[in-house]
Amino acid sequence: MDVATQKLRNFVVVAEELNISRAAARLFVTQQALSKQLRDLEDAIGVRLVERTTRSMALTPAGEVFLASVREALAALDAGVAAALSASRGVSGTVRLGFVMGGALELTAPILAEFSALCPDVQLELRETGFDDPSAGLADGSSDVAFVRLPLSVPDLDAIPLFVEPLVVALPARHPLADRAALTAADIVDEPLAVGRTADSVWRRYWTLDDRRGGRPPKTVRTTTSHTEELQVIAAGLACAITVTGAARYTPHPGVRYVPLTGVPGSALAVAWRRGHRTPGVERFVTAARRVRDREPALVATIETPLPALPTP
């Protein structure tokens, strides 16, 4: 049986969307053509992959099993193609990867593994930066590619978002707002805030909610150089901080309470590089990051899930 690779890729998109219209839009094909490809694929395999009604679509048990196998097969095929290209173009040397706290969270390990499979002859150097450099080495050229949180004021920066993470407020455990199920920007704009000690004014404005203050500056700002230092400031009752849900998962602290922040756009984590410096090694890393993001919707969904309301102390 010879099934075209494109039909398999299109099936994956249909399985992710479970909606022919949305899948066709993603693939830039007509709904009729996509429906025919799906029927052709089912005929070639000899089983029904998708149950369709006038109102909904759902994968059959056979479709669920087939989807997992297709993703694995396509990943192996893509890795083989990339490895062949890498060998033919002589991609080697070192790629310097910078990252801010947490990197790409649950996507980090699979991205690094994917890159190693794509470029086995390339040495990947990892470097974490503190709050003083939210560009993770891109601003001063000490990194070739980086996991960063947007927005940044770095000029000539190209970036591909990997996920958007909901925000939370990190509060002292005994703070009057710490037992709230959720908070809004209006609830905390007058609270003392901890923020990274950086010269990047765009990044700083985002994490101090400056666009939500109606032109009023924060009353009190305490600058910190790392997340660990930030936690100590918060636990001591000296300030609150705007951060991401990943902080609640990865850095729980007995003196800190994380409360969901609603009504404010989440933090976009991106793989980024300097325009004009997309070397073959950087190109392969960006390819690996994008491929893992598209292949791991469950991990992305975990990262993008808002923090549930916590029980009151």
Side-chain angles (χ1 to χ4, degrees):
M1 179 182 63
D2 182 16
V3 177
T5 303
Q6 189 57 53
K7 288 183 180 179
L8 296 178
R9 297 186 190 279
N10 290 356
F11 167 69
V12 171
V13 174
V14 171
E16 290 173 352
E17 295 291 345
L18 290 178
N19 182 286
I20 287 291
S21 177
R22 291 196 300 268
R26 274 181 61 181
L27 294 166
F28 299 100
V29 299
T30 66
Q31 296 182 42
Q32 294 82 354
L34 187 57
S35 294
K36 183 179 184 304
Q37 285 191 20
L38 182 57
R39 289 194 301 271
D40 290 345
L41 182 60
E42 290 176 325
D43 289 342
I45 298 170
V47 297
R48 179 65 63 86
L49 300 174
V50 178
E51 292 290 354
R52 295 172 285 261
T53 69
T54 57
R55 294 187 177 183
S56 65
M57 296 182 67
L59 289 177
T60 64
E64 294 280 2
V65 172
F66 186 64
L67 175 61
S69 298
V70 167
R71 280 180 169 151
E72 184 176 345
L74 290 176
L77 176 61
D78 290 342
V81 171
L85 290 173
S86 177
S88 67
R89 296 174 184 174
V91 179
S92 59
T94 301
V95 171
R96 302 169 299 170
L97 171 64
F99 61 96
V100 293
M101 181 196 73
L105 300 179
E106 285 88 347
L107 292 186
T108 304
I111 288 174
L112 300 188
E114 182 78 12
F115 178 73
S116 294
L118 290 177
C119 299
D121 297 327
V122 175
Q123 180 180 356
L124 190 63
E125 290 185 357
L126 277 64
R127 172 175 175 256
E128 182 180 15
T129 61
F131 288 161
D132 58 327
D133 182 15
S135 79
L138 294 178
D140 63 10
S142 60
S143 295
D144 302 310
V145 64
F147 293 131
V148 299
R149 289 192 177 273
L150 304 176
L152 297 170
S153 64
V154 181
D156 301 322
L157 192 73
D158 284 332
I160 295 176
L162 300 181
F163 52 79
V164 177
E165 194 173 6
L167 299 182
V168 297
V169 184
L171 298 156
R174 297 185 179 277
H175 193 283
L177 299 175
D179 61 351
R180 296 276 293 273
L183 295 169
T184 66
D187 293 325
I188 58 172
V189 290
D190 292 327
E191 295 291 329
L193 289 178
V195 70
R197 186 178 289 115
T198 176
D200 191 318
S201 59
V202 173
W203 187 88
R204 182 184 172 105
R205 281 181 61 85
Y206 176 82
W207 294 105
T208 53
L209 301 179
D210 277 12
D211 292 337
R212 306 274 168 167
R213 297 180 175 280
R216 294 178 298 158
K219 288 185 176 180
T220 304
V221 173
R222 291 183 176 271
T223 55
T224 58
T225 57
S226 69
H227 182 56
T228 302
E229 182 180 330
E230 180 181 76
L231 286 176
Q232 296 305 321
V233 168
I234 297 168
L238 302 177
C240 309
I242 311 302
T243 186
V244 292
T245 55
R249 292 201 308 277
Y250 284 96
T251 56
H253 189 290
V256 176
R257 190 170 177 82
Y258 297 99
V259 179
L261 179 62
T262 61
V264 180
S267 170
L269 189 287
V271 57
W273 63 97
R274 293 298 295 269
R275 192 169 303 142
H277 294 80
R278 190 160 171 165
T279 64
V282 170
E283 175 73 31
R284 299 298 184 281
F285 189 87
V286 172
T287 296
R290 178 188 276 159
R291 186 173 297 164
V292 169
R293 176 200 63 187
D294 294 343
R295 193 175 66 221
E296 300 288 353
L299 286 181
V300 173
T302 296
I303 294 169
E304 294 186 336
T305 299
L307 184 72
L310 299 178
T312 56

